[in-house]
Amino acid sequence: MFCNQCGTSSPDNAIFCAVCGKQLEKRISPSPVMPIGEVPLSVARQSPAGEYIPIQQEMPPPVSFPISRPDPPIYDVAQAGNGIPQSYPPPTYPPGDQFRPSEMFGSPQPVHAEQSSSSIENDQTIPQMPSLQPGQPPYDHLEALSPPPSMVREPWYKALPKPMPLWAFIGSIVVVVLLLVVLQLTGSDWAAGATRVGIVAGILAMVITLVAGVRILLDTATKSNSRRVIQLVSPGLAILLLLVLCLVSLTQQPSIHSLQAHAWEGQQQWQSSINEYQLAGEGAPTSENIARVYNEWGEQLTSQQRDESAIAKFNIVLANYASASAGVARAQSDTIKAYLGWGQLASQQHDYTAATNRYDTLLRLSYCTATCQSQANALDATAYYNRAESQLAAQNYSDAINSFQIVVSRFSGTPEVQKLHEDYAQALLGQGKKQLTSASCSSAIPTYQQLSSQFGDTPEGQQATSALKAPQPVKGHFVTAVPNNPALTPVAALMQGLYANISTDHFYSLLGVSPTTTIQRDGSFSFKPVKQGTYDLAWGTNNSDGDQLYYFIKTHDLVATVGPLCPFDFGDINQPIPQAP
């Protein structure tokens, strides 16, 4: 068997070449190489009958050529197994046609000694082979050359120890970093994102550890690797970084919540910041951080003139974070400022009732210091005065009187007390007049009395004094029958000095000086205003011929007490009217 790859002859039962490992094919082996310095003395040719007939002929002089040439490449079996083809130079033949192909395969003849010594000395020459003529045997029956050997793939596991390409190494780092960043950013908050990053980092660390271990095991079975140190340090550093990231992400959750809380606080995301502080483990009543955020939140609302909402935030601190001393002190100071600003805002909007309510609330606070009290009192007095003036302008006399009274009683040392005197009198008089026309006229008496006693230096006070002394009318109504005799005149009288068993002469003498009025056909009667005092009611009839007949009864319901401002009404009287004879 002949190897087309390296030209080595092998036994007929061989399948693969012992030198290069190439699969052998059955070929006609080339003629043996003649020894150096020898030429064939005889060749044979084949007769038609198949016999070889030796042909003796004189051989031409040999052509010498140096045999020194580069050694043919050594075929490495290991490399052959890796599919690396080896090339060999094609055989050369001597020029000319002195030899037939059949002669090439004849038995080589020894060369004479003189020929060997003359042709091969220091240059080591061999005779050139005669050129082959096409169509001559035995090449007419040579088989076609076999195709080049196929490439043998390297097992996949042998590629693991090899270093990664630079682009793959950098690309894997970028992919891992982007993955961790995406996991962090897509978490509900920093801590949740960190948890996801920590879990994935731990998984990646285990995967890299497994891959690195396999690479190390495979690498020890191969040839020495000059990049061994880099291949060990790179995954080791990656594993270390991923494990540190995993541990920090999973064990520092409170710190991460706290960091995000500070970040939200800086961005004025108040509720989110409070939530993160609470997730970090802080809470009432000791958390200075949460108290500070509530105070900052309230201060922002105050700057936006949303004082009511701001005070609500400060109250949360005061009610729930009593142990956070710095936060409580700040909340108290901010609350005072908020109430002062809130009251001034209401005053600017002419909502004096709201302003006084806010100042009053501030003055009732236990932490409103002397400075706070002084400032709030002045503003509150002004607000009450303005409220009273606006109520007076709207003829809301009752509320105006109350407002003026608060200023006088609570803020006696303020300038508003001096300014309100005349306006206060106007409010009292207006209220008194309304009371006089109401169903309860007597309610006007205290108003007039106050006006008369406290504001006598004002026109309103003087008017009240006169009204309090003025006579008042008296009226009543008999529900019994009124005499229908044209000669009789029914009369009612208001008499003073009556007593039981009074004599007739004395009675009629008093009647002559007492106010009288005619009883109408419907039984009603009305006196012109009479001096204030107590009067007994007497009633009767006067006959046209001069006779008179009167009754009086000393009972409470028939006594008229005429007082200030209001008329007196006997109401319905169920007594008969006498008829004079």
Side-chain angles (χ1 to χ4, degrees):
M1 301 296 288
F2 179 74
C3 179
N4 291 331
Q5 182 69 23
C6 62
T8 304
S9 296
S10 301
D12 292 340
N13 59 351
I15 299 177
F16 297 95
C17 179
V19 176
C20 64
K22 178 68 178 178
Q23 185 174 2
L24 299 177
E25 297 182 9
K26 189 172 184 180
R27 294 283 188 269
I28 299 174
S29 62
S31 61
V33 179
M34 291 180 294
I36 297 175
E38 294 184 3
V39 296
L41 299 180
S42 63
V43 295
R45 63 181 180 84
Q46 188 176 16
S47 66
E51 299 178 353
Y52 288 95
I53 303 173
I55 299 177
Q56 299 292 334
Q57 65 178 14
E58 186 177 355
M59 300 295 293
V63 180
S64 302
F65 63 92
I67 64 173
S68 57
R69 55 188 176 87
D71 294 334
I74 299 174
Y75 190 82
D76 192 323
V77 177
Q79 292 178 351
N82 291 334
I84 303 175
Q86 303 294 326
S87 62
Y88 295 89
T92 59
Y93 300 94
D97 55 356
Q98 291 86 350
F99 297 94
R100 294 188 302 274
S102 60
E103 295 172 344
M104 294 178 61
F105 296 91
S107 300
Q109 298 297 326
V111 181
H112 297 286
E114 59 272 15
Q115 292 177 337
S116 175
S117 59
S118 62
S119 58
I120 301 176
E121 293 177 352
N122 295 328
D123 56 356
Q124 297 295 318
T125 60
I126 61 174
Q128 293 184 356
M129 300 296 292
S131 61
L132 299 177
Q133 297 297 327
Q136 295 181 356
Y139 295 101
D140 290 343
H141 304 287
L142 289 176
E143 297 177 7
L145 295 177
S146 62
S150 60
M151 299 293 291
V152 178
R153 290 187 178 180
E154 183 181 30
W156 65 269
Y157 56 85
K158 289 187 177 181
L160 286 177
K162 296 181 179 180
M164 296 175 61
L166 181 60
W167 64 267
F169 180 74
I170 296 176
S172 62
I173 295 176
V174 172
V175 169
V176 170
V177 172
L178 289 177
L179 174 62
L180 296 179
V181 170
V182 170
L183 290 174
Q184 175 65 44
L185 295 179
T186 54
S188 58
D189 60 5
W190 290 5
T195 300
R196 300 167 65 183
V197 168
I199 294 173
V200 173
I203 294 174
L204 290 176
M206 291 188 291
V207 172
I208 295 174
T209 301
L210 180 61
V211 173
V214 173
R215 284 169 58 91
I216 292 172
L217 292 176
L218 292 176
D219 191 47
T220 57
T222 61
K223 296 182 296 183
S224 61
N225 184 3
S226 61
R227 298 176 58 87
R228 181 184 300 274
V229 176
I230 297 177
Q231 291 179 355
L232 291 176
V233 171
S234 297
L237 182 60
I239 293 169
L240 178 62
L241 292 176
L242 289 172
L243 288 178
V244 170
L245 182 60
C246 176
L247 292 175
V248 171
S249 299
L250 297 180
T251 61
Q252 300 300 316
Q253 290 288 301
S255 299
I256 297 173
H257 282 299
S258 182
L259 287 174
Q260 188 170 18
H262 280 92
W264 285 130
E265 182 179 354
Q267 297 176 18
Q268 298 183 353
Q269 301 293 327
W270 310 119
Q271 188 59 57
S272 298
S273 177
I274 292 170
N275 294 340
E276 290 298 325
Y277 277 126
Q278 291 173 341
L279 291 173
E282 299 189 30
T286 59
S287 177
E288 289 282 3
N289 286 325
I290 297 178
R292 182 183 64 254
V293 173
Y294 273 119
N295 286 330
E296 291 173 346
W297 194 354
E299 289 166 0
Q300 182 189 54
L301 294 172
T302 300
S303 65
Q304 298 171 354
Q305 294 186 343
R306 298 169 60 189
D307 299 285
E308 184 176 9
S309 299
I311 292 172
K313 303 305 177 186
F314 301 143
N315 286 337
I316 292 176
V317 178
L318 297 175
N320 301 318
Y321 296 89
S323 298
S325 56
V328 169
R330 183 174 179 178
Q332 291 175 349
S333 176
D334 288 341
T335 301
I336 292 172
K337 293 178 182 178
Y339 269 115
L340 291 174
W342 198 17
Q344 289 175 345
L345 177 64
S347 295
Q348 293 171 0
Q349 296 173 348
H350 304 290
D351 188 359
Y352 301 111
T353 299
T356 56
N357 290 336
R358 293 163 189 175
Y359 290 133
D360 289 344
T361 303
L362 174 59
L363 290 169
R364 288 192 296 267
L365 295 177
S366 60
Y367 49 85
C368 184
T369 61
T371 303
C372 167
Q373 291 282 337
S374 175
Q375 187 177 5
N377 271 324
L379 293 172
D380 202 14
T382 302
Y384 271 111
Y385 172 79
N386 291 332
R387 186 177 80 168
E389 291 291 335
S390 64
Q391 292 166 342
L392 177 61
Q395 296 184 354
N396 189 358
Y397 301 114
S398 177
D399 292 337
I401 291 170
N402 291 334
S403 299
F404 284 129
Q405 182 60 32
I406 291 173
V407 175
V408 172
S409 60
R410 289 178 51 188
F411 310 103
S412 58
T414 61
E416 283 74 17
V417 175
Q418 303 300 324
K419 294 190 299 184
L420 62 75
H421 187 67
E422 293 184 358
D423 293 336
Y424 194 0
Q426 293 179 11
L428 287 171
L429 182 60
Q431 177 67 8
K433 289 181 177 179
K434 289 181 66 175
Q435 292 171 338
L436 289 176
T437 58
S438 66
S440 58
C441 173
S442 59
S443 61
I445 297 174
T447 304
Y448 274 82
Q449 290 174 344
Q450 180 184 3
L451 186 59
S452 176
S453 61
Q454 298 178 7
F455 301 90
D457 57 340
T458 64
E460 291 79 12
Q462 295 170 2
Q463 183 177 349
T465 301
S466 299
L468 288 171
K469 298 177 180 179
Q472 298 300 324
V474 178
K475 62 180 180 178
H477 178 247
F478 283 95
V479 297
T480 57
V482 179
N484 196 20
N485 187 347
L488 298 178
T489 303
V491 176
L494 296 176
M495 302 179 65
Q496 291 179 327
L498 294 179
Y499 55 91
N501 300 321
I502 188 174
S503 63
T504 302
D505 294 338
H506 191 191
F507 174 84
Y508 283 106
S509 62
L510 293 176
L511 179 62
V513 296
S514 298
T516 59
T517 185
T518 303
I519 300 173
Q520 303 299 319
R521 298 294 299 176
D522 60 355
S524 63
F525 60 92
S526 175
F527 292 91
K528 293 179 180 179
V530 297
K531 291 176 59 176
Q532 297 179 23
T534 302
Y535 298 91
D536 292 320
L537 178 64
W539 66 97
T541 55
N542 293 330
N543 198 324
S544 58
D545 59 4
D547 291 335
Q548 296 176 316
L549 182 60
Y550 283 85
Y551 291 164
F552 73 93
I553 302 175
K554 296 289 289 186
T555 60
H556 174 72
D557 56 345
L558 295 178
V559 174
T561 303
V562 180
L565 303 177
C566 303
F568 182 84
D569 188 358
F570 283 104
D572 292 337
I573 303 172
N574 190 14
Q575 296 293 333
I577 300 175
Q579 297 183 19

